[in-house]
Amino acid sequence: DGFSVYASIPGKVTVCEKDRIIIENDMSQKTAESDSNKPKTIDDINYESLIEYSRRYGVTGAYSGVPLYRKISGAYGKCSRIIINCIESDPYSGHVRALVCAHAKEIVLGAKILMIGMGVKKCVFALGASYSAAASAIKEHISDIPGMVIAGIKEKYPVGNEYLLL
């Protein structure tokens, strides 16, 4: 359906199957062209640009692989809040917590972009109740953004599953 996938190397696609793509690196070290039509500031974002750019740049769900534009295309004007799932699927795992701690600023900015593009006034960051470092990292960046809150969720397998979390 026109969904784009970007690779970290330039070259020729030699295999394209359901579960893998193999690229023969041509070693040309090309860089992507600048996109002069992109919104200049976060306030220039709207629903149409959110759909266009998430589609053009291949933004997908981390676990599902479902394109973001598909997830949000039916929700515009119908949802009252966004839930950012920062829960480990396995409570003994730690990779989500590590990512939240390392990239809290980017996660909050992405949530703000979603809020603006979707016209939503409330965003909930679902974190495990014991994720104190991750909660602190998120709190540092949401303190001046109205409508953003943290919800501490009791960790229990498999609460990280989005359907169970909801």
Side-chain angles (χ1 to χ4, degrees), residues 62-132:
Y63 298 110
S64 67
V66 175
L68 176 66
Y69 74 88
R70 281 196 193 154
K71 287 184 172 192
I72 64 176
S73 63
Y76 184 69
K78 298 176 186 173
C79 61
S80 61
R81 76 189 63 176
I82 293 169
I83 300 173
I84 306 298
N85 183 358
C86 301
I87 302 285
E88 306 282 358
S89 289
D90 181 342
Y92 297 104
S93 181
H95 66 286
V96 174
R97 281 174 273 192
L99 286 170
V100 170
C101 288
H103 300 286
K105 181 178 180 180
E106 293 87 352
I107 293 167
V108 170
L109 179 59
K112 185 175 179 182
I113 289 169
L114 277 173
M115 288 175 71
I116 292 169
M118 295 296 290
V120 174
K121 303 291 183 208
K122 184 161 184 154
C123 177
V124 179
F125 292 88
L127 293 161
S130 68
Y131 301 1
S132 58

Short mmCIF file of all heavy atoms in Angstrom, two decimals, residues 62-132:
data_model
loop_
_atom_site.label_atom_id
_atom_site.label_comp_id
_atom_site.label_asym_id
_atom_site.label_seq_id
_atom_site.Cartn_x
_atom_site.Cartn_y
_atom_site.Cartn_z
N ALA A 62 6.70 -0.98 17.53
CA ALA A 62 7.94 -1.68 17.87
C ALA A 62 7.78 -3.19 17.85
O ALA A 62 8.66 -3.91 17.40
CB ALA A 62 8.44 -1.23 19.24
N TYR A 63 6.68 -3.69 18.35
CA TYR A 63 6.50 -5.14 18.43
C TYR A 63 5.64 -5.69 17.29
O TYR A 63 5.91 -6.74 16.77
CB TYR A 63 5.89 -5.54 19.77
CG TYR A 63 6.77 -5.17 20.93
CD1 TYR A 63 6.42 -4.17 21.81
CD2 TYR A 63 7.99 -5.81 21.12
CE1 TYR A 63 7.25 -3.82 22.86
CE2 TYR A 63 8.82 -5.47 22.16
CZ TYR A 63 8.44 -4.48 23.03
OH TYR A 63 9.26 -4.13 24.06
N SER A 64 4.61 -4.94 16.94
CA SER A 64 3.66 -5.44 15.95
C SER A 64 4.14 -5.24 14.52
O SER A 64 3.77 -5.99 13.63
CB SER A 64 2.32 -4.73 16.12
OG SER A 64 2.45 -3.35 15.79
N GLY A 65 4.94 -4.19 14.31
CA GLY A 65 5.35 -3.86 12.95
C GLY A 65 4.24 -3.20 12.15
O GLY A 65 4.40 -2.91 10.97
N VAL A 66 3.10 -2.93 12.78
CA VAL A 66 1.99 -2.28 12.11
C VAL A 66 2.35 -0.81 11.89
O VAL A 66 2.77 -0.13 12.82
CB VAL A 66 0.68 -2.39 12.94
CG1 VAL A 66 -0.45 -1.61 12.30
CG2 VAL A 66 0.30 -3.85 13.13
N PRO A 67 2.20 -0.32 10.66
CA PRO A 67 2.52 1.09 10.39
C PRO A 67 1.69 2.05 11.26
O PRO A 67 0.49 1.84 11.46
CB PRO A 67 2.17 1.26 8.92
CG PRO A 67 2.24 -0.12 8.35
CD PRO A 67 1.80 -1.03 9.45
N LEU A 68 2.34 3.09 11.76
CA LEU A 68 1.67 4.06 12.62
C LEU A 68 0.47 4.68 11.93
O LEU A 68 -0.58 4.85 12.54
CB LEU A 68 2.66 5.16 13.05
CG LEU A 68 2.06 6.29 13.88
CD1 LEU A 68 1.59 5.77 15.23
CD2 LEU A 68 3.06 7.41 14.06
N TYR A 69 0.61 5.02 10.65
CA TYR A 69 -0.51 5.69 9.98
C TYR A 69 -1.75 4.80 9.97
O TYR A 69 -2.87 5.30 10.02
CB TYR A 69 -0.14 6.14 8.57
CG TYR A 69 -0.02 5.04 7.54
CD1 TYR A 69 -1.13 4.61 6.83
CD2 TYR A 69 1.20 4.43 7.29
CE1 TYR A 69 -1.03 3.59 5.89
CE2 TYR A 69 1.30 3.42 6.35
CZ TYR A 69 0.20 3.01 5.66
OH TYR A 69 0.30 2.01 4.75
N ARG A 70 -1.57 3.49 9.95
CA ARG A 70 -2.73 2.59 10.00
C ARG A 70 -3.35 2.60 11.40
O ARG A 70 -4.56 2.53 11.55
CB ARG A 70 -2.33 1.16 9.66
CG ARG A 70 -2.19 0.93 8.19
CD ARG A 70 -2.19 -0.57 7.93
NE ARG A 70 -1.76 -0.84 6.58
CZ ARG A 70 -1.20 -1.96 6.21
NH1 ARG A 70 -0.96 -2.91 7.08
NH2 ARG A 70 -0.85 -2.15 4.95
N LYS A 71 -2.48 2.63 12.41
CA LYS A 71 -2.99 2.62 13.79
C LYS A 71 -3.82 3.86 14.09
O LYS A 71 -4.79 3.79 14.83
CB LYS A 71 -1.82 2.54 14.78
CG LYS A 71 -1.16 1.19 14.85
CD LYS A 71 -0.11 1.20 15.93
CE LYS A 71 0.44 -0.19 16.17
NZ LYS A 71 1.24 -0.25 17.39
N ILE A 72 -3.41 5.01 13.56
CA ILE A 72 -4.08 6.25 13.93
C ILE A 72 -5.11 6.74 12.91
O ILE A 72 -5.91 7.61 13.23
CB ILE A 72 -3.06 7.37 14.21
CG1 ILE A 72 -2.27 7.74 12.96
CG2 ILE A 72 -2.15 6.99 15.35
CD1 ILE A 72 -1.31 8.90 13.15
N SER A 73 -5.12 6.18 11.71
CA SER A 73 -5.99 6.72 10.67
C SER A 73 -7.47 6.63 11.02
O SER A 73 -8.24 7.51 10.65
CB SER A 73 -5.72 6.05 9.32
OG SER A 73 -6.00 4.67 9.38
N GLY A 74 -7.88 5.63 11.74
CA GLY A 74 -9.29 5.52 12.11
C GLY A 74 -9.63 6.18 13.43
O GLY A 74 -10.79 6.21 13.82
N ALA A 75 -8.64 6.71 14.13
CA ALA A 75 -8.87 7.25 15.46
C ALA A 75 -9.03 8.77 15.50
O ALA A 75 -9.47 9.31 16.51
CB ALA A 75 -7.71 6.84 16.38
N TYR A 76 -8.69 9.44 14.42
CA TYR A 76 -8.74 10.91 14.43
C TYR A 76 -10.16 11.39 14.73
O TYR A 76 -11.12 10.98 14.10
CB TYR A 76 -8.27 11.46 13.09
CG TYR A 76 -8.21 12.97 13.05
CD1 TYR A 76 -7.27 13.65 13.81
CD2 TYR A 76 -9.11 13.70 12.29
CE1 TYR A 76 -7.20 15.02 13.79
CE2 TYR A 76 -9.05 15.08 12.26
CZ TYR A 76 -8.10 15.73 13.02
OH TYR A 76 -8.04 17.09 13.00
N GLY A 77 -10.27 12.27 15.72
CA GLY A 77 -11.56 12.80 16.12
C GLY A 77 -12.38 11.88 17.00
O GLY A 77 -13.46 12.25 17.44
N LYS A 78 -11.89 10.68 17.26
CA LYS A 78 -12.64 9.70 18.05
C LYS A 78 -11.99 9.40 19.40
O LYS A 78 -12.64 8.84 20.27
CB LYS A 78 -12.78 8.39 17.27
CG LYS A 78 -13.54 8.52 15.98
CD LYS A 78 -13.54 7.20 15.24
CE LYS A 78 -14.17 7.34 13.87
NZ LYS A 78 -14.03 6.12 13.08
N CYS A 79 -10.71 9.70 19.54
CA CYS A 79 -10.02 9.33 20.78
C CYS A 79 -9.87 10.54 21.69
O CYS A 79 -9.77 11.67 21.23
CB CYS A 79 -8.67 8.69 20.49
SG CYS A 79 -7.50 9.72 19.61
N SER A 80 -9.84 10.27 22.99
CA SER A 80 -9.72 11.35 23.97
C SER A 80 -8.36 11.38 24.63
O SER A 80 -8.02 12.35 25.29
CB SER A 80 -10.80 11.21 25.04
OG SER A 80 -10.66 9.98 25.71
N ARG A 81 -7.58 10.31 24.46
CA ARG A 81 -6.24 10.29 25.04
C ARG A 81 -5.36 9.31 24.26
O ARG A 81 -5.84 8.43 23.57
CB ARG A 81 -6.27 9.91 26.51
CG ARG A 81 -6.51 8.42 26.76
CD ARG A 81 -6.74 8.13 28.19
NE ARG A 81 -7.96 8.82 28.53
CZ ARG A 81 -8.57 8.78 29.69
NH1 ARG A 81 -8.08 8.08 30.65
NH2 ARG A 81 -9.68 9.43 29.90
N ILE A 82 -4.07 9.50 24.45
CA ILE A 82 -3.07 8.61 23.87
C ILE A 82 -2.41 7.89 25.03
O ILE A 82 -2.09 8.49 26.06
CB ILE A 82 -2.03 9.42 23.06
CG1 ILE A 82 -2.69 10.04 21.84
CG2 ILE A 82 -0.85 8.54 22.65
CD1 ILE A 82 -1.84 11.06 21.12
N ILE A 83 -2.20 6.59 24.87
CA ILE A 83 -1.50 5.82 25.89
C ILE A 83 -0.18 5.36 25.29
O ILE A 83 -0.15 4.70 24.25
CB ILE A 83 -2.32 4.59 26.35
CG1 ILE A 83 -3.65 5.05 26.95
CG2 ILE A 83 -1.51 3.76 27.35
CD1 ILE A 83 -4.60 3.93 27.29
N ILE A 84 0.91 5.74 25.93
CA ILE A 84 2.24 5.32 25.51
C ILE A 84 2.62 4.12 26.37
O ILE A 84 2.82 4.24 27.58
CB ILE A 84 3.28 6.46 25.67
CG1 ILE A 84 2.82 7.74 24.95
CG2 ILE A 84 4.65 6.01 25.19
CD1 ILE A 84 2.66 7.61 23.45
N ASN A 85 2.73 2.97 25.74
CA ASN A 85 2.98 1.71 26.45
C ASN A 85 4.49 1.54 26.70
O ASN A 85 5.25 1.23 25.81
CB ASN A 85 2.45 0.54 25.62
CG ASN A 85 2.60 -0.80 26.32
OD1 ASN A 85 3.15 -0.88 27.41
ND2 ASN A 85 2.13 -1.84 25.66
N CYS A 86 4.88 1.76 27.94
CA CYS A 86 6.28 1.58 28.35
C CYS A 86 6.41 0.43 29.33
O CYS A 86 7.27 0.43 30.21
CB CYS A 86 6.80 2.87 28.99
SG CYS A 86 6.73 4.32 27.94
N ILE A 87 5.55 -0.56 29.19
CA ILE A 87 5.54 -1.72 30.08
C ILE A 87 6.30 -2.87 29.45
O ILE A 87 6.16 -3.13 28.25
CB ILE A 87 4.08 -2.19 30.33
CG1 ILE A 87 3.24 -1.06 30.91
CG2 ILE A 87 4.04 -3.43 31.21
CD1 ILE A 87 3.49 -0.77 32.36
N GLU A 88 7.09 -3.55 30.25
CA GLU A 88 7.77 -4.76 29.79
C GLU A 88 6.74 -5.86 29.60
O GLU A 88 5.87 -6.04 30.46
CB GLU A 88 8.80 -5.24 30.82
CG GLU A 88 9.82 -4.22 31.24
CD GLU A 88 10.94 -4.01 30.24
OE1 GLU A 88 10.97 -4.69 29.20
OE2 GLU A 88 11.78 -3.14 30.51
N SER A 89 6.80 -6.61 28.51
CA SER A 89 5.91 -7.76 28.35
C SER A 89 6.23 -8.83 29.39
O SER A 89 5.36 -9.49 29.91
CB SER A 89 6.04 -8.35 26.95
OG SER A 89 5.46 -7.48 26.02
N ASP A 90 7.49 -8.98 29.69
CA ASP A 90 7.95 -9.91 30.71
C ASP A 90 8.49 -9.08 31.87
O ASP A 90 9.44 -8.31 31.69
CB ASP A 90 9.05 -10.81 30.14
CG ASP A 90 9.57 -11.84 31.13
OD1 ASP A 90 9.35 -11.67 32.36
OD2 ASP A 90 10.19 -12.81 30.68
N PRO A 91 7.91 -9.18 33.06
CA PRO A 91 8.35 -8.33 34.17
C PRO A 91 9.81 -8.52 34.57
O PRO A 91 10.38 -7.68 35.27
CB PRO A 91 7.41 -8.69 35.31
CG PRO A 91 6.74 -9.95 34.92
CD PRO A 91 6.82 -10.07 33.44
N TYR A 92 10.44 -9.61 34.13
CA TYR A 92 11.85 -9.84 34.47
C TYR A 92 12.79 -9.29 33.40
O TYR A 92 14.00 -9.38 33.52
CB TYR A 92 12.10 -11.33 34.71
CG TYR A 92 11.32 -11.82 35.89
CD1 TYR A 92 10.18 -12.59 35.72
CD2 TYR A 92 11.70 -11.47 37.18
CE1 TYR A 92 9.43 -13.01 36.80
CE2 TYR A 92 10.96 -11.90 38.28
CZ TYR A 92 9.83 -12.66 38.08
OH TYR A 92 9.11 -13.07 39.16
N SER A 93 12.22 -8.74 32.36
CA SER A 93 13.01 -8.12 31.30
C SER A 93 13.32 -6.68 31.71
O SER A 93 12.73 -6.16 32.64
CB SER A 93 12.21 -8.15 29.99
OG SER A 93 12.95 -7.58 28.95
N GLY A 94 14.21 -6.04 31.01
CA GLY A 94 14.54 -4.66 31.36
C GLY A 94 14.81 -3.78 30.16
O GLY A 94 15.19 -2.63 30.31
N HIS A 95 14.59 -4.29 28.95
CA HIS A 95 14.97 -3.53 27.76
C HIS A 95 14.09 -2.30 27.55
O HIS A 95 14.59 -1.26 27.13
CB HIS A 95 14.95 -4.43 26.51
CG HIS A 95 13.61 -4.94 26.12
ND1 HIS A 95 12.98 -5.95 26.81
CD2 HIS A 95 12.79 -4.57 25.13
CE1 HIS A 95 11.80 -6.19 26.25
NE2 HIS A 95 11.66 -5.36 25.22
N VAL A 96 12.80 -2.37 27.87
CA VAL A 96 11.93 -1.20 27.69
C VAL A 96 12.33 -0.11 28.68
O VAL A 96 12.45 1.06 28.31
CB VAL A 96 10.45 -1.58 27.82
CG1 VAL A 96 9.56 -0.34 27.78
CG2 VAL A 96 10.04 -2.55 26.73
N ARG A 97 12.56 -0.50 29.93
CA ARG A 97 13.01 0.48 30.94
C ARG A 97 14.30 1.16 30.51
O ARG A 97 14.44 2.38 30.66
CB ARG A 97 13.23 -0.19 32.30
CG ARG A 97 11.96 -0.44 33.04
CD ARG A 97 12.23 -1.22 34.28
NE ARG A 97 12.19 -2.63 33.88
CZ ARG A 97 12.17 -3.64 34.69
NH1 ARG A 97 12.23 -3.43 35.99
NH2 ARG A 97 12.11 -4.87 34.26
N ALA A 98 15.23 0.39 29.98
CA ALA A 98 16.50 0.96 29.54
C ALA A 98 16.28 1.95 28.40
O ALA A 98 16.89 3.03 28.38
CB ALA A 98 17.45 -0.15 29.10
N LEU A 99 15.42 1.60 27.46
CA LEU A 99 15.12 2.51 26.35
C LEU A 99 14.45 3.79 26.84
O LEU A 99 14.76 4.89 26.37
CB LEU A 99 14.24 1.82 25.31
CG LEU A 99 14.93 0.79 24.45
CD1 LEU A 99 13.91 0.01 23.63
CD2 LEU A 99 15.96 1.43 23.52
N VAL A 100 13.52 3.66 27.78
CA VAL A 100 12.83 4.84 28.32
C VAL A 100 13.83 5.75 29.03
O VAL A 100 13.81 6.97 28.83
CB VAL A 100 11.68 4.43 29.26
CG1 VAL A 100 11.12 5.64 30.00
CG2 VAL A 100 10.57 3.73 28.48
N CYS A 101 14.71 5.17 29.83
CA CYS A 101 15.71 5.98 30.53
C CYS A 101 16.65 6.68 29.55
O CYS A 101 16.98 7.85 29.72
CB CYS A 101 16.52 5.11 31.50
SG CYS A 101 15.58 4.60 32.94
N ALA A 102 17.07 5.98 28.52
CA ALA A 102 18.03 6.54 27.56
C ALA A 102 17.40 7.52 26.58
O ALA A 102 18.09 8.42 26.08
CB ALA A 102 18.70 5.40 26.78
N HIS A 103 16.10 7.39 26.32
CA HIS A 103 15.48 8.21 25.26
C HIS A 103 14.20 8.89 25.72
O HIS A 103 13.30 9.14 24.91
CB HIS A 103 15.20 7.33 24.03
CG HIS A 103 16.42 6.72 23.46
ND1 HIS A 103 17.36 7.44 22.74
CD2 HIS A 103 16.90 5.45 23.53
CE1 HIS A 103 18.34 6.64 22.39
NE2 HIS A 103 18.09 5.43 22.86
N ALA A 104 14.12 9.23 26.99
CA ALA A 104 12.89 9.85 27.53
C ALA A 104 12.52 11.12 26.78
O ALA A 104 11.34 11.34 26.46
CB ALA A 104 13.06 10.13 29.02
N LYS A 105 13.48 11.95 26.49
CA LYS A 105 13.20 13.22 25.80
C LYS A 105 12.55 12.96 24.44
O LYS A 105 11.56 13.60 24.07
CB LYS A 105 14.49 14.02 25.62
CG LYS A 105 14.30 15.35 24.95
CD LYS A 105 15.60 16.11 24.85
CE LYS A 105 15.41 17.45 24.17
NZ LYS A 105 16.69 18.19 24.07
N GLU A 106 13.10 12.01 23.68
CA GLU A 106 12.56 11.70 22.36
C GLU A 106 11.17 11.06 22.45
O GLU A 106 10.30 11.33 21.62
CB GLU A 106 13.51 10.78 21.59
CG GLU A 106 14.83 11.42 21.22
CD GLU A 106 15.90 11.31 22.30
OE1 GLU A 106 15.60 10.86 23.44
OE2 GLU A 106 17.05 11.68 22.03
N ILE A 107 10.97 10.22 23.46
CA ILE A 107 9.67 9.58 23.65
C ILE A 107 8.61 10.63 23.96
O ILE A 107 7.51 10.62 23.39
CB ILE A 107 9.75 8.50 24.76
CG1 ILE A 107 10.64 7.34 24.30
CG2 ILE A 107 8.36 8.01 25.16
CD1 ILE A 107 11.04 6.38 25.41
N VAL A 108 8.93 11.55 24.85
CA VAL A 108 7.99 12.62 25.20
C VAL A 108 7.72 13.51 23.98
O VAL A 108 6.57 13.88 23.72
CB VAL A 108 8.50 13.43 26.41
CG1 VAL A 108 7.67 14.69 26.63
CG2 VAL A 108 8.50 12.56 27.66
N LEU A 109 8.75 13.85 23.23
CA LEU A 109 8.55 14.66 22.04
C LEU A 109 7.67 13.94 21.02
O LEU A 109 6.75 14.54 20.44
CB LEU A 109 9.89 15.02 21.39
CG LEU A 109 9.82 15.85 20.11
CD1 LEU A 109 9.11 17.18 20.34
CD2 LEU A 109 11.22 16.09 19.56
N GLY A 110 7.89 12.65 20.83
CA GLY A 110 7.04 11.87 19.93
C GLY A 110 5.59 11.86 20.39
O GLY A 110 4.66 11.98 19.58
N ALA A 111 5.38 11.74 21.70
CA ALA A 111 4.03 11.76 22.25
C ALA A 111 3.38 13.13 22.03
O ALA A 111 2.20 13.23 21.69
CB ALA A 111 4.06 11.41 23.74
N LYS A 112 4.17 14.18 22.19
CA LYS A 112 3.65 15.54 21.96
C LYS A 112 3.26 15.72 20.49
O LYS A 112 2.22 16.31 20.19
CB LYS A 112 4.70 16.58 22.37
CG LYS A 112 4.21 17.99 22.28
CD LYS A 112 5.23 18.99 22.80
CE LYS A 112 4.73 20.40 22.67
NZ LYS A 112 5.74 21.38 23.12
N ILE A 113 4.07 15.21 19.59
CA ILE A 113 3.75 15.27 18.16
C ILE A 113 2.44 14.54 17.89
O ILE A 113 1.57 15.03 17.16
CB ILE A 113 4.91 14.70 17.32
CG1 ILE A 113 6.10 15.65 17.35
CG2 ILE A 113 4.46 14.41 15.88
CD1 ILE A 113 7.39 15.09 16.79
N LEU A 114 2.27 13.36 18.47
CA LEU A 114 1.01 12.61 18.32
C LEU A 114 -0.17 13.39 18.87
O LEU A 114 -1.24 13.44 18.25
CB LEU A 114 1.09 11.25 19.02
CG LEU A 114 1.75 10.12 18.26
CD1 LEU A 114 1.89 8.90 19.16
CD2 LEU A 114 0.97 9.76 17.02
N MET A 115 0.00 13.99 20.03
CA MET A 115 -1.08 14.77 20.63
C MET A 115 -1.51 15.92 19.72
O MET A 115 -2.70 16.12 19.49
CB MET A 115 -0.66 15.32 22.00
CG MET A 115 -0.56 14.30 23.10
SD MET A 115 0.07 15.00 24.65
CE MET A 115 -1.31 16.01 25.18
N ILE A 116 -0.54 16.65 19.20
CA ILE A 116 -0.85 17.78 18.33
C ILE A 116 -1.50 17.30 17.04
O ILE A 116 -2.53 17.81 16.62
CB ILE A 116 0.43 18.61 18.04
CG1 ILE A 116 0.90 19.31 19.32
CG2 ILE A 116 0.18 19.62 16.92
CD1 ILE A 116 2.27 19.93 19.23
N GLY A 117 -0.89 16.30 16.42
CA GLY A 117 -1.41 15.79 15.15
C GLY A 117 -2.79 15.17 15.26
O GLY A 117 -3.60 15.27 14.34
N MET A 118 -3.08 14.56 16.40
CA MET A 118 -4.37 13.90 16.60
C MET A 118 -5.39 14.81 17.28
O MET A 118 -6.55 14.44 17.42
CB MET A 118 -4.19 12.63 17.43
CG MET A 118 -3.37 11.55 16.74
SD MET A 118 -4.14 10.91 15.26
CE MET A 118 -5.51 10.01 15.94
N GLY A 119 -4.95 15.99 17.72
CA GLY A 119 -5.87 16.90 18.39
C GLY A 119 -6.34 16.39 19.74
O GLY A 119 -7.46 16.62 20.16
N VAL A 120 -5.45 15.70 20.45
CA VAL A 120 -5.77 15.09 21.75
C VAL A 120 -5.11 15.90 22.85
O VAL A 120 -3.98 16.35 22.72
CB VAL A 120 -5.27 13.62 21.77
CG1 VAL A 120 -5.43 13.00 23.13
CG2 VAL A 120 -5.99 12.81 20.72
N LYS A 121 -5.82 16.06 23.96
CA LYS A 121 -5.33 16.89 25.07
C LYS A 121 -4.72 16.10 26.22
O LYS A 121 -4.16 16.69 27.13
CB LYS A 121 -6.47 17.75 25.62
CG LYS A 121 -7.13 18.64 24.59
CD LYS A 121 -6.20 19.74 24.15
CE LYS A 121 -6.90 20.65 23.16
NZ LYS A 121 -6.01 21.28 22.25
N LYS A 122 -4.82 14.77 26.19
CA LYS A 122 -4.29 13.97 27.31
C LYS A 122 -3.44 12.82 26.79
O LYS A 122 -3.80 12.15 25.84
CB LYS A 122 -5.43 13.42 28.16
CG LYS A 122 -4.93 12.67 29.38
CD LYS A 122 -5.98 12.53 30.43
CE LYS A 122 -5.35 11.86 31.64
NZ LYS A 122 -5.99 12.15 32.87
N CYS A 123 -2.31 12.61 27.46
CA CYS A 123 -1.40 11.52 27.12
C CYS A 123 -0.96 10.84 28.41
O CYS A 123 -0.52 11.51 29.35
CB CYS A 123 -0.19 12.07 26.37
SG CYS A 123 1.04 10.81 25.98
N VAL A 124 -1.10 9.52 28.45
CA VAL A 124 -0.74 8.74 29.63
C VAL A 124 0.45 7.85 29.28
O VAL A 124 0.40 7.09 28.31
CB VAL A 124 -1.93 7.86 30.10
CG1 VAL A 124 -1.52 7.02 31.30
CG2 VAL A 124 -3.15 8.70 30.38
N PHE A 125 1.51 7.95 30.06
CA PHE A 125 2.67 7.07 29.92
C PHE A 125 2.47 5.92 30.90
O PHE A 125 2.51 6.12 32.11
CB PHE A 125 3.97 7.81 30.23
CG PHE A 125 4.32 8.85 29.22
CD1 PHE A 125 3.84 10.15 29.35
CD2 PHE A 125 5.10 8.54 28.13
CE1 PHE A 125 4.14 11.11 28.41
CE2 PHE A 125 5.41 9.51 27.18
CZ PHE A 125 4.92 10.79 27.32
N ALA A 126 2.22 4.72 30.38
CA ALA A 126 2.02 3.55 31.23
C ALA A 126 3.39 2.95 31.53
O ALA A 126 4.09 2.48 30.63
CB ALA A 126 1.13 2.53 30.53
N LEU A 127 3.78 3.00 32.80
CA LEU A 127 5.07 2.48 33.27
C LEU A 127 4.82 1.48 34.38
O LEU A 127 3.85 1.62 35.14
CB LEU A 127 5.94 3.61 33.81
CG LEU A 127 6.44 4.64 32.81
CD1 LEU A 127 6.88 5.90 33.52
CD2 LEU A 127 7.58 4.06 32.02
N GLY A 128 5.70 0.51 34.50
CA GLY A 128 5.62 -0.41 35.63
C GLY A 128 5.75 0.37 36.93
O GLY A 128 6.53 1.33 37.01
N ALA A 129 4.98 -0.02 37.94
CA ALA A 129 4.98 0.71 39.22
C ALA A 129 6.36 0.79 39.85
O ALA A 129 6.66 1.73 40.58
CB ALA A 129 3.99 0.04 40.18
N SER A 130 7.23 -0.18 39.56
CA SER A 130 8.57 -0.18 40.17
C SER A 130 9.64 0.45 39.27
O SER A 130 10.81 0.42 39.61
CB SER A 130 8.98 -1.61 40.52
OG SER A 130 9.18 -2.35 39.34
N TYR A 131 9.25 1.03 38.15
CA TYR A 131 10.22 1.61 37.22
C TYR A 131 10.60 3.03 37.65
O TYR A 131 10.35 4.00 36.93
CB TYR A 131 9.67 1.70 35.80
CG TYR A 131 9.22 0.45 35.11
CD1 TYR A 131 9.26 -0.80 35.70
CD2 TYR A 131 8.75 0.53 33.82
CE1 TYR A 131 8.83 -1.93 35.04
CE2 TYR A 131 8.31 -0.59 33.14
CZ TYR A 131 8.35 -1.82 33.76
OH TYR A 131 7.91 -2.92 33.09
N SER A 132 11.18 3.20 38.79
CA SER A 132 11.43 4.54 39.33
C SER A 132 12.37 5.38 38.45
O SER A 132 12.13 6.56 38.25
CB SER A 132 11.96 4.46 40.76
OG SER A 132 13.15 3.70 40.80
#
